[in-house]
Amino acid sequence: MLLKTVLLLTLVAQVLVLENGLLRTPPMGWLAWERFRCNIDCDEDPKNCISERLFMEMADLMAQDGWRDLGYVYLNIDDCWIGERDDRGRLVPDSKRFPHGITFLADYAHSLGLKLGIYADMGNLTCMGFPGTTLDKVELDAQTFAEWKVDMLKLDGCFSTRQERIEGYPKMSAALNATGRSIAFSCSWPAYEGGLPPEVNYTLLANICNLWRNFDDIQDSWRSVLFILDWFVKHQDILQPVAGPGHWNDPDMLLIGNFGLSYEQARAQMALWTVLAAPLFMSTDLRTISPQNVNILQNPLMIKINQDPLGIQGRMILKEKSLIQVFKRPLSGDTNVVVFFSRRTDMPFRYHSSLAKLNFSSSRIYEHYNSQEMETIQMPLVEECLKKMWYICPVPPSMISLFAVLVTYSQW
Ligand code: GLA
């Protein structure tokens, strides 16, 4: 009996652990949904509809315009690619919009040094009403994606019951493992359970998924960014410890390059997602994005920090009455990044702080990197006398993040 139990536990453990070794740092790439939604009208709008043409054009630009070389390697399809299930029950892409099939697209992405991600839904239908992955189809769909040489799966949760999700997400994780192909697994499961324990078991999630959507969909507005940010901060005691190499919280896509954010707000989203160790999935039209927005998304310092190998998610450490919020993320090499984020809506604000207040020892020497100019500028911030109060000024006008990295002198 004891032996049986031990065997059973070992079996369960094997099934539950996602042993793919992937995403040791947060994934970076391009995801279709926020910008291109479920536009399937290729007659009226051939350039922007969800089709192989759109993904191939984005792939070309990711390779040509420096994105891939900076780490943006995942080219991810979202909802609305499916046509039907064939008579063997296998998923088939819409034949008009994806005439060459998904393997063709995966080969194309791979030929450019990119990876291809795909979308499915653990339920009767996808959120936009296309065929879903019911429990009996989990293994078949995992095999299909592996045969297509797909590199990431986002598994959504529309049109499912709680029980189906409880069974389905671990089942898909095991099925992906069983294919033998390395497929990163993005789970929307927690977002369908309110994002918090006891409904959400983050220990289990970290074992079966590489990343997970905790909360609501991002929309193209600053309001939406703040809504998501505030939820993450409110629950940071729960969320912060569960992130780490191979398993990340996902506050959803970057809006940078679209219609809803000002330049300053776009910089703020980049800085905040960076300090939160969030996946960096752009969802924008790379054919028309402005140089300014390219600079934000391609900021080498932000990317280096986001991709720090320690993989510790940052936290809000101070919320001032002045509406300045301070975030801090520990990085490798005894380094920390600090983000000063102004929630003010009046004018540039002179924010005074001190090393002690930010929990830094005054016995070391610090350097400050300012990404204000979108370049890595090194400038001394802290006076020779480290006990002296120092200030960052001004935190520029409303809703802007000034971004500082405090680094011990000899490293980084
Ligand atoms: C849900 C997800 C979104 C997107 C849509 C597609 O709302 O949370 O990210 O995938 O479905 O229909």
Side-chain angles (χ1 to χ4, degrees), residues 174-216:
L176 291 174
N177 261 350
T179 66
R181 185 173 176 82
S182 288
I183 301 180
F185 189 28
S186 166
C187 301
S188 302
W189 187 10
Y192 286 85
E193 318 291 347
L196 297 173
E199 285 76 16
V200 176
N201 178 346
Y202 277 109
T203 312
L204 169 65
L205 272 171
N207 279 333
I208 64 164
C209 309
N210 294 114
L211 62 153
W212 47 78
R213 281 281 310 284
N214 312 69
F215 190 56
D216 290 3

Side-chain angles (χ1 to χ4, degrees), residues 20-77:
N20 64 16
L22 296 171
L23 307 191
R24 307 308 293 169
T25 60
M28 296 172 62
W30 185 93
L31 178 56
W33 180 255
E34 200 293 312
R35 174 62 182 80
F36 292 95
R37 304 285 166 152
C38 195
N39 177 356
I40 54 173
D41 191 348
C42 293
D43 294 332
E44 280 276 311
D45 197 5
K47 279 186 71 177
N48 299 304
C49 62
I50 299 300
S51 66
E52 71 183 24
R53 172 179 169 179
L54 180 71
F55 291 97
M56 289 170 75
E57 289 187 7
M58 293 304 142
D60 290 342
L61 294 171
M62 285 168 81
Q64 273 163 35
D65 292 346
W67 302 103
R68 175 198 61 203
D69 297 344
L70 285 162
Y72 290 98
V73 293
Y74 281 99
L75 170 72
N76 287 6
I77 303 171

Side-chain angles (χ1 to χ4, degrees), residues 90-343:
R90 287 164 58 106
L91 286 171
V92 185
D94 181 277
S95 59
K96 195 168 165 210
R97 293 181 288 115
F98 294 88
H100 300 95
I102 302 298
T103 310
F104 166 82
L105 213 47
D107 285 341
Y108 192 75
H110 296 155
S111 74
L112 293 169
L114 301 170
K115 295 173 188 294
L116 188 74
I118 207 161
Y119 168 102
D121 186 287
M122 184 62 255
N124 292 325
L125 297 170
T126 73
C127 295
M128 294 308 295
F130 294 83
T133 303
T134 45
L135 285 169
D136 59 316
K137 294 290 191 303
V138 166
E139 273 137 3
L140 178 61
D141 289 357
Q143 278 158 22
T144 305
F145 298 145
E147 275 167 34
W148 288 347
K149 296 184 248 175
V150 159
D151 305 293
M152 185 184 295
L153 170 66
K154 170 174 169 182
L155 189 61
D156 215 335
C158 277
F159 301 105
S160 58
T161 64
R162 181 169 157 75
Q163 191 52 39
E164 283 163 346
R165 295 190 291 273
I166 287 174
E167 287 175 44
Y169 280 93
K171 190 171 183 184
M172 179 58 88
S173 181
L176 291 174
N177 261 350
T179 66
R181 185 173 176 82
S182 288
I183 301 180
F185 189 28
S186 166
C187 301
S188 302
W189 187 10
Y192 286 85
E193 318 291 347
L196 297 173
E199 285 76 16
V200 176
N201 178 346
Y202 277 109
T203 312
L204 169 65
L205 272 171
N207 279 333
I208 64 164
C209 309
N210 294 114
L211 62 153
W212 47 78
R213 281 281 310 284
N214 312 69
F215 190 56
D216 290 3
D217 287 7
I218 201 158
Q219 308 296 344
D220 195 3
S221 74
W222 182 236
R223 209 176 97 114
S224 173
V225 171
L226 292 182
F227 184 60
I228 290 171
L229 177 73
D230 289 344
W231 186 86
F232 270 76
V233 167
K234 185 171 174 199
H235 303 295
Q236 64 180 1
D237 289 347
I238 293 163
L239 303 176
Q240 190 271 341
V242 300
H247 45 96
W248 309 101
N249 292 304
D250 179 7
D252 214 0
M253 288 157 274
L254 297 166
L255 302 173
I256 300 158
N258 297 331
F259 312 101
L261 303 190
S262 71
Y263 171 64
E264 307 297 351
Q265 290 162 351
R267 287 192 334 149
Q269 193 194 12
M270 188 72 186
L272 291 162
W273 263 229
T274 290
V275 84
L276 290 176
L280 298 180
F281 284 119
M282 325 178 260
S283 185
T284 187
D285 192 340
L286 299 177
R287 298 166 299 197
T288 56
I289 187 171
S290 71
Q292 256 190 349
N293 283 315
V294 169
N295 285 341
I296 298 173
L297 288 164
Q298 294 197 348
N299 183 299
L301 182 61
M302 298 282 179
I303 292 172
K304 183 171 181 193
I305 292 167
N306 175 269
Q307 295 290 297
D308 183 80
L310 269 190
I312 299 175
Q313 182 172 320
R315 303 171 65 94
M316 185 195 281
I317 56 161
L318 267 179
K319 193 174 181 172
E320 304 275 19
K321 286 205 186 72
S322 62
L323 301 185
I324 301 298
Q325 301 179 342
V326 185
F327 292 76
K328 184 173 172 183
R329 174 178 171 190
L331 305 173
S332 52
D334 203 11
T335 303
N336 284 275
V337 57
V338 179
V339 168
F340 301 93
F341 181 45
S342 172
R343 299 291 289 262

